[in-house]
Amino acid sequence: MTDPIIELTDKIKARGKSPARLAPDPVNGPMIRHWAEAIGDTNPRWAPGPDTEAPPAMAQVWTMYGLNPERMPNDPLPDTMQVLDDAGFTSVLGTNCDQTYARTLKPGEVPSISTYLSDVMGPKKTGVGEGYFITTKSVWTVGDEEVATMTFRVLKFKPGTGRASVDKTKSSRPMMNKDTSFFWEGTQAGELRIQKCNACGELRHPPGPVCPKCHAMDRGFVVASGKGTVRSFLVHHAPVVPGKQLPLTLALVDLEEGVRMIGEVKGDVAIGDAVEVWFDPIDDEVTLAKWQPAGTPAPEPAPEENPPPLRATLREVPPSDIPVWEVPITPTLVVSTALATRDFQDVHHDRDRSIGHGSKDIFINILSTTGLVQRYITDWAGPQTQILSCALRLGAPAYPYDTLRFTGNIVSEEDGVTTIDVTAAVSIGNHANARLEIRK
């Protein structure tokens, strides 16, 4: 039986490329300046002057529809969105944005965009709900010259149809006092701390006021490696435990440092298995230390409707060939970059409406993330660096009052082209993973 949604979208796909749609305004200095100010990019190539260029990441900005759009007939993306809206798949989540750049644009040029529907896949069960993945491909031209391309993928889903989840905030709260506060401050910082007697050096867990070995009360702590071995475990099937998904595995873990801890385990384990710690933020005050089999890949970042459980830890920050760059996320950064990129989606500037859509807060848009990634690279490689391509995968949302931490690693250098992997992480996981090709 043919899926009626696929049947309708196949007709849109069969239309092929949309007619070229001209940018509403020529490439111009004020928009470039606003972009550069919002992104904080001081590259002199974007500065006002006779030789001003537009940052490559702005390619899409010139043809954004704006606040009160009049859609072009035969534009496949809004038509496809309408098919899904009519079927109840009303929510959208951007996932991939791959761009290539033949050259930068100059003031006075008027780019045009042509788009075709490449693929519609579904229905798929995802964490946010059942939905369809829509892939479009766009080409920007100036006259007959192709200047940039983009493959864009979004998930269009039915809200409220995601996988069942539990309310972690209903979990029993741990005891916090002056003897244990260092431990819970550590879990919030992504550190597993073991109490240490400053008098004799004895390590002990659980924490207490007096050293059981020398009876001193001079307490300190060390940061554990976060690695251990399962000494024993049990699997709890019933009764229901508030805030927990059953069955629930609890293990007694021997740490490398020689102390033991009891903790919840994510995944299957056996006695003697190697495990490693991860940190699960329950709310703004409590982060639990949990365990998982050693070498387990980091869980997929959860969508904004259901914040992900894994907190990025200091130990999880990968080695970086490029100096780490940290950007505080403020409401001003989120809103100013959204407006500078002509992205008027309410989730990027209206907190009440964003929460109404199921999000925790407003969050940074894709175009701004692309701009920040490219700024990170050109700040390091030099202002004359040519960005050839940027393939970006989105993960955890970047909310205000968090910090974006950029790291980069050189993948290859061949024929004058350097390939670099960039990770932009926030406290709840990786916000974006990008692969760029540049020519210095």
Side-chain angles (χ1 to χ4, degrees), residues 344-358:
F344 295 97
Q345 293 287 326
D346 49 19
V347 292
H348 305 309
H349 67 270
D350 189 325
R351 186 172 187 269
D352 290 342
R353 296 193 67 173
S354 186
I355 292 173
H357 289 307

Side-chain angles (χ1 to χ4, degrees), residues 11 24 57 110 414:
K11 293 179 181 177
V110 184
E414 188 173 352

